[in-house]
Amino acid sequence: MNERAFGMSELSARGRAEAEQLQASDPAVSAFVAASAGSGKTKLLTDRVLRLLLAGAAPERILCLTFTKAAAAEMALRLQRRLGDWATAEDTALDTELRRLGVPPAAEQRVAARALFARVLDLPGGMRIGTIHAFCQSLLRRFPLEAQLTPHFETLEAADAAPRLHAAWESALAAAEPAAGAVACLAGLVKAKEFGALVAMLRNAPDGLAGLQALDPAAREQAITRVLGVTTTDADSILSDAVRWPGEAALGTVAARLAIAGSAAVAERGRTMLAWLARPPDERVRCWAEWVGLFLTGAGEPRAASRLVNAALNAAEPHLLEALVAEQDRIAAVLDQARAAAAAAATAALLALALPAIRAYESGKSDDGLLDFDDLIGRSSRLLVDPGAAWVLFKLDGGLDHLLIDEMQDTAPAQWRIADALSSEFFAGDGARAGRRTVFAVGDRKQSIYSFQGADPAGFDDWAARLRRRVEDAGESWREVTLDVSFRSTAPVLELVDAVFAAANAADGVLAPGRTLRHYADRAAHAGSVELWPLAPPEQAADPGPWTLPETYAREVSAPQRLADALAGWIGDEVRGDVALESRGRALAPGDVLVLVRRRGAFANALVRALKARGVPVAGLDRLVLTDQPAAADLLTLCDALLLPEDDLAFACLLTSPLGGLDDASLMELAVGRATPLWQSLRARAPERAEWHAAWDFFAALLARVDYAAPHELLAEALGRLGGRARLLGRLGPEAAEPIDELLGAALAYARLHTPSLQGFVHWLRASGAEVKRESEGAGHAVRVMTVHGAKGLQAPLVILPDTTALPPTPPPLVWAEDAAGPGVTLPLWAPRKEFRSEGFARRLQTVRQAQRQEHNRLLYVALTRAEDRLVVCGWQPRRAVPQECWYELVSQGFARLGAAALPAPLPWGGTILRQSSPQTATPETAAPAAATAPLALPGWAGAAPLWSP
């Protein structure tokens, strides 16, 4: 890496970064920090807390809100380690540490620093470092009555929320006699499952549904039509009015002229127009499509002028075309109004059924004393903003002097309102105690990728400006700092990132207009490289030729499968021990490899299979649906057979599973020609064969207890005493152990909130869509395959991006609009099909698409900046042309700006690899290969996330 590219040496980059971090961590000022990826946000937060403690701040009066439990645990761990080291450090070493924090070393400072470890350790509950959800839960536990909650409320997991919501909307549909018209309207537009998905989307409204729920149906319908620009939800009435209009007579004159003086085709069109105008209004409505077809194409576009009036007639009488074009515009406006009215009717029908379902769901939660994660935020926000509960703020304000907010770009508006309320008294009246109360926020707008959780990049700048005004109006010190020196990535990685986002289409949503992206490398002297592989094409099956009977099955390998096979082989070669990780002075290990995909799908599963087939240690996907795992599916099949032995299909599946132990031939001999259900046939013929006898003993032992044992007890007996676990592991391999344990954990979780019945448990598990979440720390010395969202905050020496040729998914069917002219509520608009999309809806949908594309670009920034030493970008050829806005094209343009070297690609499909690299000129760092660390039991809220996350 040359210094000219970055404009500073490694030493000067580090020196500037440390100076900027010292400015930001100054305990005497409030600060806002815009920190690029890898610039040391966690270190900065830790330094800020340490300097606050050294300046005399009470540990219990510091609150740090992070975005994830992992971030909270990491920060708490670093803080404990630093304080522990201080407690035992020699004077010289401790003085060095204090100088790095900008604290002049002195005897009293050393004493205070050494005493901090015990002071923090003895703090009840530990330091207040945790997620916003953890803070809200503790707040509501402290003030339940003020929040209008039962003091013994429980947190509702997503596994319970999904079945509850499903039952609520099913009940709403069954009891929808007053809304029979709404049911009839929706019946032809949406399936029941899709309706359930719409209800779930409505529940996650941007600003909640309180304002919408308060409107009666008539007011709600008026608000919807007002936003869509129509006066009715009846599209037929719009068409009835459209067939009679003031310019009808004048247009008849034009049609007559066309029929007389036009060319053959134009004359025929004129006669058709006259025939339609001669019809009575009712017939005109029925033949409206015929009238539209005279002026518009099948795609709804205006017909060319040459189709309306021939050239000679147009030259002689130009007013004819003007009249016809005016009618084109009128028809287009009528159709747009009809589409808007249809969308309004569909939206009103949806809300007529969905809102009662949501009310029933919320009421059921309230009756059972349950709160989900959205409730924690919403209830806390209302509690802190409610004027009647001002004394709650007084109590909190009395115990809080310093507020730190991590990952500011991912904070949703409702969460910001909580932070705003907490800091509202810091700089007002008697609360503004000079030099003792501060607000500190750190984040990176470029990494805002959680819009599905409500994060809004625009709020990043708005809230920064609001905090600044509040601090400066109180006469306090405010400081804004930018951290752009990366301590994570090597120079080639950062050069590529800057080159990719130098293009306007890539920078959209990542950078403010007119801004450029520049990173500086602290690791400029370390070896690094970036590579762009040619896209993998599909493997075409050989043509057997005409009149030739193929002797073997022809196999066509898809492009994603071909890439997965090639990538697995390449990774296997890289981690075999022959490839050096020069910056660490050791060989590249499987735990050093991180594969990032845009979404979990067929490619990710194919890659995991290919890696396992080649003997490469792989941790599997970071999340997987529990019910889709073979071991869990076999256990659920056992449950199905126990609940209804007469279900021959379920019983046959059980017999051929590892739990039953029969092969296909044995099953066929048992099943063919029987006159009784399969389970009775097995019971009668069990003594004939050893495998039949073993299968019957296994099933009979559980069948005798199914009506009495809890699901966990029953499954534990099947897996333990009856040997089911050994059989599953024997056939499915060691990876079956985790789904088995997660299923047992799910059975325990179900029993905590429900009557422990086997039928209820099976229904609950399948309806909940339960997922297993693998924490990155549990990967060990294995390749990790994760989504970019899941890898936020992680890093690896070698990062591979293979899923790069797709665009953002289709926008959701709901868009949101504010009714500014009415009661000021945020309204959902629903257009189930294209013919419901008016121009106004299309504009709002385009805004959603634009926001998706911008987040698509920010997601690429996050993906690229996970790499420490090496980055490989590849992909597969889609069936159509490669989209210009996909990641592969954006990265390809970045490589072109770098002028990377072109090398022959050692890939099955050939081509050229583009490569940019830098040599190792610094002394290698000594570090062990990436590996798992045991989960830490930290005090306070910084505990690790549970493994099973529905």
Side-chain angles (χ1 to χ4, degrees):
M1 168 63 193
N2 57 63
E3 296 178 8
R4 180 174 55 83
F6 280 86
M8 59 173 65
S9 67
E10 178 183 1
L11 181 61
S12 61
R14 173 167 295 188
R16 185 167 67 84
E18 290 177 348
E20 289 170 343
Q21 292 200 358
L22 275 177
Q23 290 183 21
S25 61
D26 186 350
V29 303
S30 294
F32 169 74
V33 181
S36 295
S39 58
K41 290 192 292 292
T42 305
K43 175 184 179 298
L44 176 60
L45 285 164
T46 306
D47 287 352
R48 174 85 179 189
V49 173
L50 290 171
R51 294 187 70 178
L52 285 171
L53 294 174
L54 290 171
E60 65 274 12
R61 302 177 74 88
I62 300 173
L63 173 62
C64 182
L65 300 179
T66 65
F67 188 68
T68 64
K69 293 180 180 179
E74 175 67 17
M75 184 178 171
L77 177 61
R78 290 193 188 190
L79 189 65
Q80 287 184 348
R81 283 177 175 170
R82 296 279 293 276
L83 294 178
D85 291 342
W86 288 3
T88 59
E90 298 291 339
D91 287 355
T92 304
L94 183 56
D95 287 350
T96 302
E97 283 290 307
L98 293 176
R99 288 192 190 96
R100 287 177 180 172
L101 292 174
V103 178
E108 60 272 16
Q109 287 289 358
R110 296 191 201 102
V111 172
R114 291 191 173 106
L116 285 175
F117 179 74
R119 187 178 178 187
V120 170
L121 191 65
D122 293 339
L123 193 66
M127 290 285 293
R128 292 196 288 176
I129 303 172
T131 65
I132 185 72
H133 291 94
F135 169 76
C136 290
Q137 187 169 354
S138 68
L139 174 67
L140 296 177
R141 293 285 185 201
R142 185 177 176 186
F143 302 103
L145 300 182
E146 290 80 1
Q148 300 178 2
L149 292 172
T150 172
H152 304 290
F153 70 85
E154 297 288 341
T155 303
L156 180 67
E157 299 291 345
D160 283 304
R164 278 176 169 268
L165 187 60
H166 185 275
W169 64 255
E170 277 193 338
S171 299
L173 289 178
E177 291 183 9
V183 175
C185 177
L186 293 182
L189 299 177
V190 65
K191 299 177 182 177
K193 185 176 181 180
E194 295 167 348
F195 174 74
L198 290 169
V199 173
M201 290 180 197
L202 286 170
R203 252 208 83 245
N204 298 324
D207 295 320
L209 291 174
L212 198 58
Q213 294 271 24
L215 298 178
D216 59 68
R220 195 164 59 228
E221 184 174 306
Q222 290 174 4
I224 294 170
T225 54
R226 187 164 48 241
V227 168
L228 284 169
V230 291
T231 58
T232 178
T233 58
D234 186 3
D236 291 338
S237 67
I238 292 177
L239 295 182
S240 297
D241 295 339
V243 298
R244 293 170 292 186
W245 71 102
E248 177 182 339
L251 193 61
T253 303
V254 172
R257 186 60 186 154
L258 295 177
I260 295 172
S263 63
V266 170
E268 179 61 28
R269 187 178 301 274
R271 288 191 291 271
T272 304
M273 292 170 60
L274 289 171
W276 188 87
L277 290 170
R279 292 171 176 163
D282 292 345
E283 289 190 21
R284 288 184 184 182
V285 172
R286 287 195 297 270
C287 301
W288 171 251
E290 178 183 339
W291 181 254
V292 172
L294 294 171
F295 295 89
L296 305 180
T297 65
E301 299 296 327
R303 292 196 179 275
S306 59
R307 297 291 303 275
L308 299 177
V309 182
N310 53 293
L313 183 58
N314 186 33
E317 304 179 54
H319 67 280
L320 299 178
L321 181 59
E322 294 175 2
L324 295 174
V325 170
E327 179 61 12
Q328 278 183 328
D329 295 340
R330 188 188 75 87
I331 291 173
V334 169
L335 293 177
D336 191 67
Q337 289 280 297
R339 286 192 291 267
T347 303
L350 173 64
L351 294 179
L353 295 176
L355 293 182
I358 294 172
R359 279 195 295 268
Y361 169 75
E362 299 293 342
S363 177
K365 282 194 305 178
S366 178
D367 292 344
D368 294 338
L370 298 172
L371 296 180
D372 59 23
F373 289 108
D374 291 335
D375 293 330
L376 293 176
I377 298 295
R379 293 272 190 164
S380 299
S381 179
R382 290 193 293 272
L383 174 63
L384 296 177
V385 175
D386 182 5
W391 84 279
V392 173
L393 280 174
F394 172 77
K395 295 289 288 184
L396 290 174
D397 184 61
L400 182 62
D401 282 338
H402 304 280
L403 176 64
L404 292 79
I405 304 171
D406 186 20
E407 300 290 3
M408 180 178 170
Q409 76 281 351
D410 294 322
T411 305
Q415 298 168 352
W416 265 118
R417 286 193 288 270
I418 294 174
D420 182 57
L422 290 174
S423 61
S424 61
E425 295 300 316
F426 275 26
F427 311 101
D430 293 337
R433 300 192 292 273
R436 294 205 298 142
R437 315 202 75 182
T438 62
V439 175
F440 179 84
V442 59
D444 185 8
R445 192 179 189 276
K446 302 186 295 296
Q447 298 187 68
S448 180
I449 59 174
Y450 291 100
S451 63
F452 59 89
Q453 294 182 350
D456 180 16
F460 182 84
D461 300 322
D462 294 342
W463 282 101
R466 180 178 298 193
L467 289 175
R468 177 177 183 172
R469 286 194 302 271
R470 177 175 293 170
V471 174
E472 291 183 341
D473 289 348
E476 300 292 337
S477 299
W478 172 261
R479 187 172 293 166
E480 293 187 7
V481 180
T482 299
L483 302 181
D484 52 12
V485 176
S486 173
F487 296 90
R488 173 188 299 161
S489 303
T490 55
V493 174
L494 297 177
E495 283 183 312
L496 177 63
V497 173
D498 291 347
V500 167
F501 294 100
N505 58 340
D508 184 25
V510 178
L511 303 172
R515 299 289 298 274
T516 57
L517 184 62
R518 177 62 61 88
H519 291 85
Y520 298 93
D522 175 68
R523 301 182 59 209
H526 289 187
S529 66
V530 289
E531 294 182 5
L532 178 68
W533 292 6
L535 293 176
E539 186 179 58
Q540 301 295 332
D543 185 2
W547 310 106
T548 301
L549 292 176
E551 297 181 358
T552 59
Y553 287 106
R555 179 174 179 263
E556 182 177 344
V557 180
S558 67
Q561 182 64 55
R562 199 175 186 195
L563 177 62
D565 293 337
L567 192 56
W570 182 83
I571 292 173
D573 293 339
E574 292 289 300
V575 301
R576 190 169 47 193
D578 302 331
V579 177
L581 184 58
E582 296 176 75
S583 66
R584 307 290 176 87
R586 60 172 174 82
L588 188 73
D592 297 322
V593 182
L594 175 61
V595 182
L596 298 181
V597 295
R598 292 177 62 252
R599 68 190 68 180
R600 305 172 191 92
F603 172 78
N605 291 322
L607 179 59
V608 171
R609 287 195 303 268
L611 288 168
K612 289 181 178 178
R614 287 162 176 78
V616 179
V618 58
L621 296 179
D622 57 336
R623 285 180 184 263
L624 45 87
V625 179
L626 181 58
T627 52
D628 289 346
Q629 303 311 300
D634 286 338
L635 289 171
L636 289 177
T637 299
L638 168 64
C639 296
D640 291 337
L642 290 171
L643 290 169
L644 186 62
E646 290 78 7
D647 184 347
D648 287 343
L649 177 59
F651 194 74
C653 291
L654 169 64
L655 292 180
T656 55
S657 73
L659 299 173
L662 273 63
D663 57 23
D664 290 342
S666 180
L667 175 64
M668 292 300 292
E669 186 170 344
L670 176 67
V672 174
R674 59 190 167 81
T676 59
L678 186 57
W679 78 279
Q680 293 183 5
S681 178
L682 177 65
R683 180 180 60 182
R685 301 180 61 186
E688 296 180 16
R689 289 193 176 189
E691 69 267 24
W692 292 355
H693 190 276
W696 172 250
D697 285 348
F698 175 83
F699 182 73
L702 296 172
L703 186 63
R705 291 176 48 77
V706 68
D707 293 332
Y708 311 102
H712 179 269
E713 182 181 352
L714 195 71
L715 291 172
E717 183 173 359
L719 292 166
R721 184 177 67 83
L722 298 178
R725 180 185 290 270
R727 298 178 202 174
L728 289 169
L729 295 177
R731 183 182 297 184
L732 301 177
E735 65 244 33
E738 187 177 7
I740 292 172
D741 293 338
E742 294 301 330
L743 189 68
L744 290 172
L748 285 176
Y750 173 78
R752 284 196 294 267
L753 292 175
H754 304 274
T755 301
S757 73
L758 184 62
Q759 183 174 357
F761 168 67
V762 171
H763 174 75
W764 172 82
L765 188 66
R766 285 175 170 153
S768 66
E771 287 186 336
V772 175
K773 179 182 178 182
R774 291 188 175 102
E775 298 296 339
S776 61
E777 293 82 1
H781 295 276
V783 176
R784 291 171 289 172
V785 182
M786 308 180 68
T787 62
V788 181
H789 284 98
K792 180 74 179 298
L794 302 180
Q795 58 195 58
L798 171 57
V799 170
I800 302 171
L801 304 184
D803 182 8
T804 57
T805 54
L807 290 178
T810 304
L814 290 176
V815 299
W816 298 87
E818 186 174 352
D819 179 27
V825 300
T826 301
L827 295 167
L829 303 177
W830 181 47
R833 292 197 292 265
K834 184 178 180 180
E835 54 266 31
F836 288 75
R837 296 178 184 174
S838 63
E839 289 186 7
F841 186 92
R843 285 194 299 271
R844 291 184 175 91
L845 194 62
Q846 184 59 33
T847 302
V848 174
R849 287 197 178 100
Q850 178 66 14
Q852 284 185 320
R853 283 194 293 269
Q854 291 176 344
E855 185 165 286
H856 178 72
N857 292 340
R858 293 192 294 271
L859 202 62
L860 174 60
Y861 175 83
V862 171
L864 294 175
T865 54
R866 299 309 95 194
E868 296 176 2
D869 296 66
R870 298 171 57 190
L871 174 69
V872 173
V873 181
C874 50
W876 61 83
Q877 184 72 41
R879 294 185 178 181
R880 299 180 180 178
V882 179
Q884 289 299 310
E885 295 179 340
C886 73
W887 288 359
Y888 188 88
E889 284 297 314
L890 297 179
V891 173
S892 178
Q893 295 167 16
F895 269 92
R897 295 185 187 93
L898 288 179
L903 305 172
L907 299 169
W909 51 90
T912 300
I913 285 179
L914 299 181
R915 192 171 194 272
Q916 182 91 337
S917 63
S918 64
Q920 179 75 20
T921 59
T923 303
E925 299 175 353
T926 302
T933 55
L936 295 166
L938 298 174
W941 307 325
L947 185 60
W948 185 70
S949 179

